[in-house]
Amino acid sequence: MKKYTLITGASSGIGLEAAKAFARRGENLILIARRAQRLESLRNEILKFAPMVDIIIKICDLSKIENVYKIYDELKIYQIKTWINNAGFGDSAAIGSQNLEKMEQMLDLNIKALSIFSTLFVRDYQNVDGTQLINVSSACGYSMVDSFGVYCATKFYVSAFTEALYRQLKSNNAKMSAKILAPATTQSEFKQVAIDADEYDYAKNYKNYHTSEQMAGFLLKLYDSDKCVGWVDRKSFDFILKDPIFDHVTKVNIS
């Protein structure tokens, strides 16, 4: 039976470049995003250099939680080797002045959709050899950034959730591994969406940043490793593979 690497948010940025990177390794793909034309274009591009790769595309808005359950059910006919929760977006606004509709969409996509997909995937695949769950967090998932308070909080959740899952799987001797990709500034559509702009010049506004293609390469390094976190140091912009970062205790009194 064919096995697939699944990537959410695959129509642009890190998700798009990750799809190409895995295809170059001969991995079959399931690609999920909202924009059908972009996914079709990506599939056609990949098939030019990897014609033997099987590519399934699913058009879906994952910020609508009912779609998350629906599409997972549709995917049960496929054997999934790696699940990459990449879909997400940011919002640059001070707490108290945010567009609440945009904030709700961000919370639903960055936290709810990721948590539901992760939980369902663990239920079905935790004892299948070689499976990986990779959740895309951010350097903002380990530090706060002015005007990105709520976005950072969503990524703190992703990091904490996935580190907890990593430890749980290890302690249960599960065959699945859970990992976190934590990019810093990455040239993509992220900033445009965050500030509601039509375009954004990373070279003009940042001294250091990575391209989405570079981040896809880092994702593969994380994939090939036995570490939990693939983290970009915001000072040096080096990519570092790490064990879990958050403090961990086995028992705690909670009141």
Side-chain angles (χ1 to χ4, degrees):
M1 185 176 185
K2 290 181 181 178
K3 293 186 177 182
Y4 292 83
T5 292
L6 182 148
I7 304 170
T8 69
S11 63
S12 66
I14 296 171
L16 180 148
E17 294 297 342
K20 290 193 262 186
F22 276 97
R24 290 188 185 98
R25 291 190 170 193
E27 299 286 348
N28 298 312
L29 299 170
I30 299 173
L31 306 177
I32 304 175
R34 292 178 296 111
R35 294 174 288 192
Q37 186 173 356
R38 287 204 179 190
L39 283 187
E40 290 285 359
S41 177
L42 175 58
R43 176 163 61 182
N44 291 337
E45 180 182 354
I46 290 172
L47 290 175
K48 289 178 182 178
F49 65 79
M52 299 304 294
V53 168
D54 188 28
I55 304 173
I56 308 298
I57 61 174
K58 293 285 186 179
I59 312 305
C60 186
D61 181 356
L62 298 177
S63 69
K64 301 182 186 304
I65 299 305
E66 62 271 19
N67 291 345
V68 175
Y69 289 100
K70 181 176 181 291
I71 202 162
Y72 190 86
D73 285 339
E74 292 177 4
L75 295 171
K76 286 184 176 180
I77 62 174
Y78 303 105
Q79 184 74 20
I80 299 172
K81 177 182 177 182
T82 305
W83 189 297
I84 301 172
N85 281 312
N86 168 72
F89 70 90
D91 184 20
S92 176
I95 295 171
S97 64
Q98 289 179 298
N99 177 310
L100 289 178
E101 183 178 357
K102 185 177 181 182
M103 185 181 75
E104 284 188 28
Q105 285 185 319
M106 181 172 65
L107 293 170
D108 286 343
L109 183 59
N110 293 12
I111 294 177
K112 287 185 181 180
L114 178 142
S115 300
I116 292 165
F117 276 148
S118 297
T119 299
L120 293 172
F121 189 59
V122 169
R123 285 181 183 175
D124 290 342
Y125 285 92
Q126 62 183 311
N127 291 314
V128 178
D129 280 324
T131 54
Q132 291 198 36
L133 170 69
I134 301 177
N135 287 332
V136 177
S137 179
S138 170
C140 293
Y142 293 99
S143 60
M144 300 304 297
V145 177
D146 289 345
S147 80
F148 278 89
V150 177
Y151 170 73
C152 289
T154 70
K155 292 303 185 177
F156 265 85
Y157 175 88
V158 173
S159 297
F161 173 86
T162 313
E163 286 197 13
L165 177 57
Y166 170 89
R167 292 185 183 278
Q168 174 188 305
L169 293 170
K170 286 283 188 184
S171 65
N172 292 339
N173 294 314
K175 295 177 180 179
M176 175 188 291
S177 57
K179 300 177 180 180
I180 301 158
L181 183 70
T185 304
T186 303
Q187 188 178 30
S188 66
E189 293 181 355
F190 175 86
K191 197 72 176 182
Q192 293 164 241
V193 174
I195 64 174
D196 296 315
D198 292 331
E199 57 184 30
Y200 188 83
D201 188 338
Y202 278 82
K204 180 179 178 180
N205 289 282
Y206 287 97
K207 180 180 179 180
N208 294 312
Y209 62 90
H210 289 117
T211 65
S212 294
E213 185 176 6
Q214 286 174 311
M215 283 309 309
F218 295 153
L219 191 157
L220 286 180
K221 289 183 179 181
L222 174 64
Y223 176 83
D224 291 335
S225 79
D226 61 358
K227 295 298 185 180
C228 174
V229 182
W231 180 67
V232 174
D233 184 306
R234 293 177 63 193
K235 293 181 179 179
S236 67
F237 264 68
D238 291 334
F239 180 71
I240 303 169
L241 294 168
K242 302 170 73 78
D243 292 322
I245 295 171
F246 289 129
D247 289 338
H248 171 253
V249 293
T250 55
K251 292 184 180 180
V252 64
N253 292 323
I254 300 175
S255 60

